[in-house]
Structure formats: structure tokens, C-alpha cells
Amino acid sequence: MTTSHNKVTFSQLLKRPACLLAYGFGSGLSPKAPGTMGTLVALPIYWLIQDVGLLSYLLITVVAFIAGIWICQQAVNWLEKDDPSAVVWDEIVGYLVTMIA
């Protein structure tokens, strides 16, 4: 089923765990500023992992980055659209990278 011309719903995302992650747990469904909503999702993730130690933090961030390649590709394949704005995993990982400093 192609979703390129259909509106994606949260219930559809629940059936596709990789797409749910790509959509930032649904934050990418926001009609305005989905990237900003994705960054807001990154805040509690950062708060949860900020005290794990630098090496552990870096490992989590690198794993999220590498996994994100596959996660985002699953969403792109499902949507049949290159670089959809609703895919906000890159904003989440980007925030974690920014907070290394």
C-alpha cells in the first residue's frame, strides 16, 4: 500500500515500528514544524541518557545514527518519497550529537 498521496495516521505508524521511530514516535505527524516537534521528542531522550557517562552516551548516539539509516530508509520506502519532512529521526539524533559538547 502506498501512502505517498494518503495522509499517514498514528495507527498506521503503530503497525510499522521502524516508521514509528522515523516519525519520532508520531511527532512527525505535526502539520506545522514537524522537525521542531522531532527535536522536542529528543529532549526527554537526552535527559534519560545524559548521565550515563561520555563513552556510553557516544555509543548510544552512534547506534541511533547507524540504526537511523535503516529506520529512515524503511519510511522512505513505505512513503515512496525522498526525504519526507515528517521523518524526524535525523532531528532526534542531531540533537543528541549537539548535546555531546
Side-chain angles (χ1 to χ4, degrees):
M1 175 179 126
T2 181
T3 59
S4 59
H5 302 298
N6 301 327
K7 182 155 175 64
V8 175
T9 64
F10 189 73
S11 62
Q12 289 174 314
L13 292 178
L14 289 175
K15 296 174 187 173
R16 294 173 172 80
C19 293
L20 180 65
L21 290 174
Y23 270 68
F25 306 98
S27 63
L29 294 173
S30 174
K32 294 189 179 193
T36 301
M37 296 301 124
T39 301
L40 290 176
V41 167
L43 290 171
I45 295 170
Y46 170 72
W47 290 328
L48 286 172
I49 67 172
Q50 69 178 340
D51 293 326
V52 298
L54 181 59
L55 289 177
S56 295
Y57 184 93
L58 291 173
L59 179 63
I60 291 167
T61 303
V62 168
V63 168
F65 175 84
I66 293 170
I69 296 168
W70 180 81
I71 289 167
C72 292
Q73 188 61 53
Q74 296 307 303
V76 166
N77 292 346
W78 178 51
L79 296 170
E80 297 177 352
K81 181 179 177 186
D82 288 334
D83 196 23
S85 62
V87 174
V88 297
W89 187 258
D90 55 331
E91 276 80 8
I92 294 169
V93 174
Y95 184 79
L96 297 179
V97 169
T98 301
M99 296 308 288
I100 290 170

